[in-house]
Amino acid sequence: MQCSYFDAARCLSCTHMGQPYAEQLAAKELHCRTLLAAHSSLQWLPPVGSREAGFRNKAKMVVGGSVRSPTLGILDAEGRGVDLRECGVCSPGLQACLPAFAAFISQARLTPYDVPRRIGELKHLIVTESPDGELMLRLVLRSENLIGRIRRHLPSLLEALPQLKVVSVNLHPEHKAVLEGDREVVLTAQSTLRMRVNDLDLHLRPQSFFQTNTEMAAALYRQGSAWVSEVAPASVWDLYCGVGGFALHCADPSRDVVGVETSREAIASAELSSGDAGLQRVRFRSGDATAFAVATRPEPELVIVNPPRRGIGNDMCGWLESSTVQHVVYSSCNAKSLARDLAAMPSFTARRVRLLDMFPQTSHYEAMVLLERS
């Protein structure tokens, strides 16, 4: 894939841009094999490649420039806006809607936040597209001052973009390098975006996490579900469950499934999806995964973990070591923390691994490992 922004050094976020995709994928597998070299019993399944371009379902755009001429993209070293509306890794649907959002900023007179001078209101646009082409827009504001103006002009935006189903304002008053704040104000009647993944409808709320590559997320859940079906446990815990992707895909009339996640927004989404699917033996809990695991009995036969980049850590590894859990499905977005966590669980043997390329044009990837108690 070639990118004019990268070639002109306007955006260097995709560090592997221009490198043949087959080479990217081979390098990622070599990186993962090197980190997991201590596990000689591992069976390496063929890696799952992604589309090179147009794979992102979410655009996180910094708003710069002026009301008359806003930029949607990133900031340069001096804090000035760099427009990236035609970013090639974003889906065609995302690219198509960005001009309408830029026009809305001008129409509603939403003043872009000037980072160097710390003035202005609108910091970011966060846009998510579902597999059916529907959109969720989140406007990250410094304060509530523009909410009334956004409400007044919103009907014209919804008319221009009929596929726009959810619009919210996120309030982020602090001046720091964080994408969003804690408070969300939903402005539309619909508050969730339906994400159809495999045969399930997942419901995404504005502050819920979802993988940025829908096709790879679907492959990830299929692989996890296949391993769980093969092991056939009577009970499963999906820890760090997010909106419940793994838990919902592993549901079966013969087993109890519990998903645990700190985000209440994500748990609300998961419960909505479970209710829609009529799943009777799937439950979700909001709270810390380690605290839940330590305090809850009986322990499950299989645990799925899908942690953030820092991994599951010593406390969760220690609990798994001392538990009666027989199998673990570990989905990792950071093979370094994965290798560290596996070393901390010597009672388990890593049986199979599969690399899924969630993030083409970068060095990042997802690795899934099936562990069995020795």
Side-chain angles (χ1 to χ4, degrees), residues 69-133:
S69 183
T71 61
L72 305 179
I74 59 175
L75 299 179
D76 65 15
E78 284 74 41
R80 295 170 303 200
V82 177
D83 198 272
L84 302 176
R85 293 184 212 180
E86 297 179 6
C87 173
V89 299
C90 290
S91 72
L94 290 177
Q95 290 185 45
C97 73
L98 292 178
F101 293 142
F104 177 73
I105 292 171
S106 299
Q107 179 191 25
R109 293 179 289 113
L110 307 180
T111 312
Y113 182 62
D114 188 312
V115 172
R117 296 195 294 163
R118 301 192 181 191
I119 60 173
E121 287 289 332
L122 181 58
K123 294 183 172 183
H124 305 105
L125 295 184
I126 306 174
V127 192
T128 304
E129 184 186 30
S130 78
D132 296 325

Side-chain angles (χ1 to χ4, degrees), residues 33 42 109 111 132 246 257 276 340 351:
R33 282 179 178 270
L42 263 179
R109 293 179 289 113
T111 312
D132 296 325
F246 280 114
V257 180
D276 282 355
R340 183 200 63 216
R351 295 299 187 193

Side-chain angles (χ1 to χ4, degrees), residues 11-12 63 69 97 179 196 275 359:
C11 175
L12 302 177
V63 181
S69 183
C97 73
L179 186 65
R196 185 179 297 276
F359 313 100

Side-chain angles (χ1 to χ4, degrees), residues 21-331:
Y21 183 64
E23 293 181 11
Q24 292 185 38
L25 195 59
K28 292 180 182 186
E29 185 173 20
L30 177 60
H31 181 262
C32 192
R33 282 179 178 270
T34 301
L35 288 170
L36 301 184
H39 303 275
S40 58
S41 61
L42 263 179
Q43 176 191 1
W44 287 82
L45 302 180
V48 181
S50 169
R51 285 184 292 159
E52 294 184 52
F55 58 85
R56 282 191 68 95
N57 59 33
K58 179 182 285 189
K60 304 174 182 178
M61 296 297 195
V62 180
V63 181
S66 65
V67 168
R68 286 190 174 185
S69 183
T71 61
L72 305 179
I74 59 175
L75 299 179
D76 65 15
E78 284 74 41
R80 295 170 303 200
V82 177
D83 198 272
L84 302 176
R85 293 184 212 180
E86 297 179 6
C87 173
V89 299
C90 290
S91 72
L94 290 177
Q95 290 185 45
C97 73
L98 292 178
F101 293 142
F104 177 73
I105 292 171
S106 299
Q107 179 191 25
R109 293 179 289 113
L110 307 180
T111 312
Y113 182 62
D114 188 312
V115 172
R117 296 195 294 163
R118 301 192 181 191
I119 60 173
E121 287 289 332
L122 181 58
K123 294 183 172 183
H124 305 105
L125 295 184
I126 306 174
V127 192
T128 304
E129 184 186 30
S130 78
D132 296 325
E134 296 182 338
L135 299 172
M136 174 165 63
L137 168 66
R138 302 173 64 209
L139 300 106
V140 182
L141 298 179
R142 188 183 185 191
S143 72
E144 299 181 42
N145 292 342
L146 296 182
I147 293 181
R149 195 179 297 171
I150 292 170
R151 287 187 188 274
R152 287 195 300 273
H153 290 273
L154 186 56
S156 64
L157 179 62
L158 296 175
E159 183 178 356
L161 294 173
Q163 68 270 40
L164 181 58
K165 301 301 181 182
V166 183
V167 179
S168 69
V169 164
N170 177 272
L171 295 172
H172 180 22
E174 298 176 275
H175 179 86
K176 60 181 182 181
V178 177
L179 186 65
E180 61 188 76
D182 295 329
R183 186 180 167 200
E184 199 87 18
V185 181
V186 179
L187 304 180
T188 48
Q190 185 171 322
S191 60
T192 64
L193 182 69
R194 186 184 66 172
M195 303 289 289
R196 185 179 297 276
V197 181
N198 298 317
D199 295 326
L200 282 168
D201 283 343
L202 304 183
H203 291 274
L204 197 61
R205 290 175 180 264
Q207 290 182 300
S208 300
F209 170 80
F210 187 76
Q211 299 281 6
T212 57
N213 188 328
T214 305
E215 291 178 2
M216 287 298 98
L220 194 74
Y221 296 144
R222 288 196 300 270
Q223 183 62 75
S225 175
W227 283 346
V228 170
S229 295
E230 178 184 333
V231 173
S235 53
V236 173
W237 286 357
D238 178 10
L239 305 181
Y240 319 93
C241 72
V243 295
F246 280 114
L248 296 166
H249 278 80
C250 294
D252 188 276
S254 67
R255 73 173 61 100
D256 293 312
V257 180
V258 179
V260 183
E261 167 63 44
T262 57
S263 169
R264 293 184 181 274
E265 286 283 304
I267 290 299
S269 300
E271 289 175 337
L272 181 58
S273 301
S274 178
D276 282 355
L279 303 178
Q280 300 298 317
R281 299 184 68 176
V282 179
R283 295 174 293 130
F284 293 95
R285 297 287 182 268
S286 175
D288 178 77
T290 303
F292 173 86
V294 169
T296 306
R297 295 292 183 276
E299 295 170 341
E301 295 179 11
L302 184 146
V303 166
I304 301 169
V305 290
N306 184 23
R309 291 190 59 79
R310 64 178 178 271
I312 62 176
N314 290 333
D315 290 343
M316 180 62 78
C317 288
W319 173 78
L320 284 167
E321 270 291 287
S322 62
S323 73
T324 59
V325 173
Q326 295 301 301
H327 291 89
V328 176
V329 175
Y330 193 136
S331 181

